[in-house]
Amino acid sequence: MRDDLVQWYGEQLVEDERIARRATAQQRGGEAWAYVDSAVRAGSGLDIFKRTPPVFGEHVAEHDPARVLREIHAKRSYLPCTWSTSA
């Protein structure tokens, strides 16, 4: 059961990483997003979302791809060494 859970969790991290990397394809990479003037904006100035209500914009900016990738890296450090990303 434990091995199944570790495998499942690792697969979720792989999928989250794929989505986060895809979301950064238009960016220079690694830049944080911010909620500014009703828009979610990348550090490069690229508008991710325009005219976004604060309740959504603040949430999206707080969970930008750069943060997601950092969290994935940290979470992987807790997985057993036997887990492989090639699953």
Side-chain angles (χ1 to χ4, degrees), residues 1-76:
M1 170 87 172
R2 181 179 178 272
D3 290 340
D4 290 343
L5 181 60
V6 170
Q7 183 66 33
W8 172 84
Y9 189 62
E11 290 169 0
Q12 300 309 302
L13 295 177
V14 168
E15 180 64 6
D16 290 348
E17 180 179 27
R18 182 191 69 78
I19 292 168
R21 291 198 184 284
R22 194 165 167 222
T24 62
Q26 299 281 326
Q27 302 177 52
R28 286 183 244 140
E31 54 199 34
W33 293 1
Y35 182 67
V36 181
D37 300 327
S38 297
V40 176
R41 201 165 283 141
S44 64
L46 174 71
D47 281 342
I48 306 300
F49 295 105
K50 295 180 181 180
R51 297 186 306 266
T52 305
V55 67
F56 300 119
E58 291 169 357
H59 176 76
V60 170
E62 184 67 21
H63 295 88
D64 65 81
R67 176 184 172 165
V68 170
L69 293 171
R70 288 190 306 272
E71 288 180 356
I72 290 168
H73 178 74
K75 290 172 183 176
R76 282 188 175 141

